[in-house]
Amino acid sequence: ALALLGPSAIARAAGPLAWALRLEAGAEQDSNPARLESIDGDPAVESVAPSPAVRVVSAADVSLPFEAGHVLSLSAGLAGKRFLHPSAQSEDLLVGEGRGGFALALGSTTTLDLATAYYDVFQRADSVDDARDFRSTAPTARLEQRFGDTRLAVGGGWRWFQYKPQPEFDFRGPSGFVSARTTWLAPPGATTADWDFGVAASVELRDYDSWRCTDPDDCPPSTPTAARRDRFYAASADITRTGSVLLGAGLTVQYNDSNSYGESLWRAAASVRGAVLLPLDFSLAARAELVTTRYRDAVPVGHDAITGAFVNVEDEGRSTLRAELTRPIGRRVELGA
């Protein structure tokens, strides 16, 4: 998609209260609005014509600190995208988001964060298969303790997820996480770089109202079986060096354990990133990400055009490479490619 952006922001601070508003309007030319994939040897699927689209994004943030070191923060956002070609208008979207948090200072080195997040998607889809409408609500609590340059955190929460077109995909359940991050800052005036290193692990337990699938030919099952349940486990590590050149790398491993056919998988994602200042006020930033996935069960996604047999996805990769060159022009304008 080619986007033409006109961002604007207003920020104010009146005493302890700080707030900000942001509005962005853009135009796109989308070559594949429905995100349909083509598979070699598989008959062509029904396509959606390329379409221009317009979008509007708005956001607001409010922060209010208290004398004891506590901070109340609220944020909300509303965004919409409208496709102009009639065949693509089932992809029109309206997204709403809200977040609230209260950070409690329990001492000079201890913080307790209480937060909740709400996310709602509305799509004007033509059929259930094309719809992606969902609603997610997740309250959380996070306790952080600082030991010099190191911060340790532990927390958990609960999540309610509603998939509006098909309630059998609704789930709820608890989540938990633990993380550690260490930052070494170079002394003022030193030529050495700053370093930041972090590790984290998390788990999310999902219980569904629907029955689990035992094979792909009977899904959803025609007769009641055990209730579906998924268990998500993840671990990650990342490191960043900040000096005359910014360099960073990260690795994430995820295991989804489900008692329903086709839902269990291993996924690994490795990323590297960098940024450097160039002559004439130019700056260059780049990021590469390699993602690989292996399913425990064969997942049928189509039929072989010659034999009629199922085409299975055993391995799935979504890898990206992105580079951005920018230069400021005056105090208020920046050009980027």
Side-chain angles (χ1 to χ4, degrees):
L2 175 65
L4 306 174
L5 307 180
S8 65
I10 302 174
R12 294 288 185 271
L17 178 67
W19 59 271
L21 296 175
R22 175 174 171 266
L23 179 66
E24 177 183 301
E28 301 177 3
Q29 174 63 28
D30 198 327
S31 62
N32 187 6
R35 301 295 179 264
L36 296 176
E37 297 183 348
S38 60
I39 303 173
D40 292 340
D42 199 45
V45 296
E46 182 180 356
S47 62
V48 175
S51 173
V54 294
R55 69 171 182 267
V56 176
V57 180
S58 60
D61 299 275
V62 176
S63 177
L64 178 62
F66 296 88
E67 292 182 357
H70 312 321
V71 179
L72 174 66
S73 59
L74 301 171
S75 65
L78 185 65
K81 177 181 285 189
R82 168 73 169 176
F83 287 90
L84 303 185
H85 196 284
S87 69
Q89 289 181 353
S90 62
E91 301 296 324
D92 291 351
L93 281 176
L94 181 66
V95 180
E97 181 181 20
R99 294 179 182 272
F102 194 42
L104 300 170
L106 305 183
S108 59
T109 59
T110 307
T111 304
L112 175 63
D113 292 321
L114 305 176
T116 186
Y118 174 82
Y119 195 86
D120 214 339
V121 179
F122 305 87
Q123 181 187 355
R124 192 167 65 177
D126 293 328
S127 66
V128 171
D129 293 338
D130 297 330
R132 295 184 293 274
D133 300 36
F134 70 89
R135 178 178 297 116
S136 176
T137 306
T140 58
R142 180 178 184 272
L143 181 66
E144 180 180 283
Q145 178 67 47
R146 294 183 294 279
F147 300 93
D149 296 330
T150 301
R151 304 187 304 276
L152 300 179
V154 62
W158 193 274
R159 187 181 182 196
W160 290 273
F161 183 91
Q162 179 186 2
Y163 185 57
K164 304 172 191 176
Q166 292 181 300
E168 56 265 31
F169 290 104
D170 296 353
F171 67 81
R172 73 198 63 80
S175 62
F177 67 88
V178 60
S179 66
R181 182 162 296 277
T182 298
T183 303
W184 294 290
L185 299 179
T191 58
T192 56
D194 299 336
W195 289 87
D196 184 82
F197 175 73
V199 293
S202 65
V203 59
E204 182 179 3
L205 311 181
R206 301 181 176 181
D207 293 320
Y208 292 77
D209 294 328
S210 56
W211 308 114
R212 75 183 186 99
C213 295
T214 57
D215 62 74
D217 296 324
D218 187 26
C219 189
S222 54
T223 58
T225 59
R228 176 182 168 182
R229 61 111 184 102
D230 291 5
R231 304 294 182 254
F232 283 28
Y233 307 94
S236 63
D238 66 271
I239 187 170
T240 303
R241 177 191 183 276
T242 305
S244 57
V245 177
L246 183 145
L247 296 173
L251 176 65
T252 299
V253 178
Q254 177 185 351
Y255 174 50
N256 298 352
D257 180 22
S258 175
N259 67 347
S260 190
Y261 186 93
E263 303 294 340
S264 298
L265 60 86
W266 282 94
R267 177 179 290 119
S271 64
V272 293
R273 61 188 184 278
V276 60
L277 298 177
L278 302 176
L280 303 178
D281 292 331
F282 282 95
S283 62
L284 176 66
R287 177 182 178 89
E289 187 174 61
L290 174 65
V291 180
T292 180
T293 304
R294 177 167 290 275
Y295 289 88
R296 188 170 65 190
D297 306 312
V299 181
V301 296
H303 289 85
D304 186 278
I306 299 175
T307 66
F310 274 119
V311 177
N312 296 323
V313 174
E314 294 292 353
D315 299 283
E316 172 193 326
R318 291 291 185 268
S319 302
T320 60
L321 174 63
R322 176 183 175 89
E324 186 172 8
L325 183 69
T326 60
R327 187 186 190 281
I329 299 179
R331 298 176 56 188
R332 298 180 178 272
V333 179
E334 181 181 83
L335 296 181

